[in-house]
Amino acid sequence: MARLLVTGGAGFIGANFVHHWLRTHAGEPVVVLDALTYAGNLANLEPVKGRAELRFVRGDIRDTALVERLLREERLDTIVHFAAESHVDRSIHGPDAFIETNVQGTHSMLKAARTVWLEERVAPAHRFHHVSTDEVYGSLGPQDPAFSEHTPYAPNSPYSASKAASDHLVRAYHHTYGLASTISNCSNNYGPFHFPEKLIPLMIVNLLHGRDLPIYGDGRNVRDWLHVSDHCRGIERILEKGRPGEVYNIGGGAQSENLTLVETLCTVADAAFREHGDLAKRFPDAPPGRGKESASLIRFVKDRPGHDRRYAIDCRKAERELGYRAEVTLERGLRETFAWYLENEWWWRAVMDGSYQRWIETHYR
Ligand code: NAD
Ligand code: DAU
């Protein structure tokens, strides 16, 4: 039985992971530590609200004393470290927060784990799992082989540089102090509770409002899409079977150019509007509600500076050692994700109009 500390558990992937873990490990304690930044949202934990195993603590991963206290008091033996600043565009406009949270924050987590687990020996059998990204490997050409665990690091954005630095710190704490750590580098996630600043949820919400669908550059950049449920299962496998000191790549096996992806999403939306007559009333500004195609909203806009051309993940090591396999195809994943946003309009409206963030500020000072 594991006793988990999940950092960033009110964010997109962290919350999905907590839902998954409590489904598959009922009765095992989970403490979520989250600062509730703009990207963190207690509503993301609504599906597990009231579960006796779950404790939520609003706090900063840079507060080393707080992390040490939680590890001691709750006798936690496993950290799953998601908390980060995660949006590349934000890192271009303001890199400082990325260094503070992703580099200093990860170092604070490592220091706390070292003190409590290695020096005080509160949990001699422990695991520090660090959730990282394929972006640390840089950008691929069209014919290059996919990123493996041996691909040299070549981060290109302040975000990916900060994640690369945090990966190196995790590695160093394993080699120098003997911390039992693992790292996963995964590709672009998508699915429920995805904050509408990232490509897929932004396109869904814009489409429903009849707003432009902005495609950076020529739209030919390739991402390897991973449904968040597959990612969560991958992390679970690493916790159960992964070897300390090892790195595992987790991918979705679903490469797509951005333009093709957005066109597919438009097709999914048009079909949903044809099938469900009420959608035209609920979203009167969406093109398919007015007899037009969603793709008519696509606009090419100025490219992101330093925009990586292609990511692709080789996850054969995770398949071989952990029995990991992505199960959700991109086509199915996009259909289900679009349906989730239709069913959970309350969620994205609250996130986008800031009312949720205002509520948090009055309830969690
Ligand atoms: P997210 O931005 O949705 O969530 C981040 C969470 O961390 C939020 O709940 C936020 O409140 C919390 N947080 C931020 N700073 C904090 C701090 N100082 N102390 C405590 N909590 C803090 O991010 P996500 O998309 O869920 O990504 C989770 C992790 O996975 C990140 O480490 C990210 O780098 C990595 N990752 C994400 C993707 C992706 O496609 N989203 C892909 C690869 C790797
Ligand atoms: O690869 C893993 C990474 O995936 C994670 O580490 C990051 O946390 C996560 O945000 C994501 O980074 P990307 O930059 O790839 O994701 P984003 O959704 O911002 O963009 C996906 C692609 O779509 C990228 O090529 C940029 C493009 N794009 C994005 C937006 C927001 C557009 O063309 N238009 C847009 O409006």
Side-chain angles (χ1 to χ4, degrees), residues 6-304:
V6 179
T7 72
F12 161 49
I13 307 174
N16 275 283
F17 177 78
V18 171
H19 308 163
H20 174 81
W21 189 265
L22 289 177
R23 253 195 322 271
T24 55
H25 294 74
E28 299 189 13
V30 174
V31 177
V32 168
L33 173 64
D34 197 298
L36 298 179
T37 66
Y38 80 96
N41 193 329
L42 274 183
N44 295 356
L45 291 170
E46 197 69 24
V48 287
K49 196 174 160 193
R51 286 287 294 261
E53 307 95 318
L54 182 64
R55 175 179 170 198
F56 178 81
V57 177
R58 187 180 191 186
D60 197 308
I61 54 169
R62 289 169 298 171
D63 185 347
T64 316
L66 169 65
V67 179
E68 287 178 3
R69 204 164 58 240
L70 291 174
L71 292 177
R72 267 186 219 113
E73 278 174 7
E74 302 275 350
R75 292 177 297 111
L76 304 173
D77 55 23
T78 304
I79 291 175
V80 190
H81 178 38
F82 292 97
E85 289 293 334
S86 68
H87 192 38
V88 174
D89 289 332
R90 286 180 189 257
S91 84
I92 294 167
H93 296 294
D96 296 65
F98 287 73
I99 306 305
E100 286 154 19
T101 295
N102 301 359
V103 185
Q104 291 166 8
T106 300
H107 189 228
S108 162
M109 293 297 304
L110 290 164
K111 281 194 296 184
R114 180 184 170 208
T115 302
V116 178
W117 287 345
L118 300 178
E119 290 172 1
E120 298 171 12
R121 302 197 61 76
V122 168
H126 61 264
R127 174 67 66 85
F128 187 112
H129 181 68
H130 177 58
V131 180
S132 191
T133 171
D134 58 1
E135 301 203 10
V136 298
Y137 299 124
S139 184
L140 294 169
Q143 306 306 328
D144 288 340
F147 300 130
S148 80
E149 290 80 0
H150 299 293
T151 304
Y153 274 33
N156 290 319
S157 72
Y159 163 70
S160 52
S162 70
K163 291 298 288 187
S166 65
D167 293 6
H168 293 324
L169 285 167
V170 175
R171 177 190 158 92
Y173 267 64
H174 171 73
H175 282 272
T176 305
Y177 304 116
L179 189 73
S181 63
T182 39
I183 300 176
S184 52
N185 295 89
C186 74
S187 54
N188 286 62
N189 285 226
Y190 69 105
F193 301 105
H194 203 183
F195 193 83
E197 65 183 352
K198 309 279 168 63
L199 182 70
I200 290 178
L202 179 72
M203 296 296 145
I204 293 175
V205 168
N206 278 9
L207 184 162
L208 293 174
H209 285 97
R211 295 187 196 132
D212 286 355
L213 307 181
I215 306 280
Y216 296 164
D218 63 3
R220 302 281 173 210
N221 302 66
V222 173
R223 296 293 181 267
D224 177 347
W225 294 97
L226 169 65
H227 194 270
V228 66
S229 63
D230 281 328
H231 185 197
C232 292
R233 284 189 308 96
I235 294 174
E236 181 181 40
R237 292 284 168 107
I238 295 172
L239 294 179
E240 290 171 352
K241 290 177 146 185
R243 289 177 292 132
E246 291 295 316
V247 174
Y248 297 92
N249 282 358
I250 305 286
Q255 292 181 54
S256 173
E257 290 184 346
N258 292 337
L259 181 59
T260 310
L261 180 96
V262 173
E263 286 170 345
T264 309
L265 201 51
C266 288
T267 311
V268 167
D270 293 348
F273 273 72
R274 273 198 303 277
E275 204 176 319
H276 305 286
D278 64 311
L279 290 179
K281 284 198 202 78
R282 281 176 62 196
F283 303 103
D285 297 322
R290 294 183 284 116
K292 290 176 83 180
E293 291 186 346
S294 299
S296 62
L297 295 173
I298 290 176
R299 302 282 180 276
F300 291 94
V301 300
K302 194 164 165 279
D303 209 353
R304 169 188 280 174

